[in-house]
Amino acid sequence: MRAGLRCEVPYCPDGFRIGLFGGSFDPPHSGHGHATRWAMKQIALDRVWWLFSSGNPLKLRSPADVAERIVAARSVLNHPRVHFSDLEARAGLHLTFDTLDLLQSLNPNARFVWLMGSDSLASFHLWAEWQEIFGRVCIGVLARHPHQLAVLNSVAARAFASCRIPDGPSRFLAAFDPPAWAMFRMPLDFTSSSKLRMSRP
């Protein structure tokens, strides 16, 4: 943790199972809310924290203002066990590994699960310190469409194939020690942030 860094994080009792849902959420939409509710139920999570990125190194376009995105998110999902965080913007973080490092230093007894769409798994090997991320936190991959199961042949999926948790025990993913990951087949939701951005006036 950086010297002198001050940032607020939600209260997290020891042993809580926390889903970390990171992304630009530009804009947040019903699909994000659907994934959050579904993950809380299917992976037995106590909380889900949305982590709004200040910018994605793999994307050329900068997202809208973080505060605006959080306001929009609250209109999409109002749930007592969901927290919307601008931690990355406040702490000046741009890489998932650095965010995890900070969160785990602040909450050493939490059971974190990184939640991401299967499209992110396809490009995960391009993320900074991606192998170290697998070693630090359990990962829940959410497949929104049947054809997205093809990402099981991606570089990251093949590299950590031996650490994939079968469908049955995957419900208790947060109880495993990393590296551990699971693929979850979600009910269909075709809402897309990219398409919503294109429809903006």
Side-chain angles (χ1 to χ4, degrees), residues 5-183:
L5 177 63
R6 295 186 62 187
C7 53
E8 295 181 2
V9 295
Y11 172 64
C12 180
D14 288 353
F16 256 40
R17 303 176 297 271
I18 308 294
L20 301 176
F21 196 11
S24 59
F25 303 107
D26 185 32
H29 55 68
S30 61
H32 297 133
H34 171 68
T36 299
R37 292 189 186 91
W38 190 89
M40 277 196 294
K41 181 178 179 179
Q42 298 299 321
I43 313 178
L45 299 173
D46 296 302
R47 300 283 190 274
V48 172
W49 298 350
W50 287 27
L51 303 175
F52 287 75
S53 66
S54 54
N56 187 333
L58 299 180
K59 294 182 179 180
L60 296 177
R61 179 184 176 278
S62 297
D65 180 74
V66 174
E68 294 178 4
R69 284 180 278 150
I70 290 180
V71 169
R74 291 194 175 109
S75 69
V76 168
L77 179 62
N78 181 14
H79 195 289
R81 294 194 287 129
V82 177
H83 176 82
F84 303 112
S85 173
D86 61 353
L87 172 72
E88 292 189 347
R90 287 181 178 274
L93 301 174
H94 299 280
L95 302 178
T96 296
F97 180 82
D98 292 335
T99 299
L100 290 174
D101 184 53
L102 175 58
L103 286 174
Q104 290 179 322
S105 69
L106 296 173
N107 302 278
N109 297 314
R111 305 293 299 188
F112 288 121
V113 175
W114 184 261
L115 302 173
M116 65 181 183
S118 52
D119 52 339
S120 294
L121 180 63
S123 60
F124 199 69
H125 61 287
L126 302 177
W127 293 28
E129 312 290 349
W130 67 276
Q131 293 171 312
E132 286 75 10
I133 293 173
F134 264 97
R136 295 202 66 153
V137 67
C138 294
I139 298 175
V141 181
L142 310 178
R144 293 183 295 173
H145 314 305
H147 71 268
Q148 290 182 332
L149 297 180
V151 300
L152 292 175
N153 290 320
S154 65
V155 173
R158 293 199 308 269
F160 287 89
S162 63
C163 303
R164 183 184 173 196
I165 307 302
D167 289 349
S170 64
R171 172 171 173 75
F172 307 103
L173 179 61
F176 285 82
D177 292 325
W181 66 283
M183 174 76 80

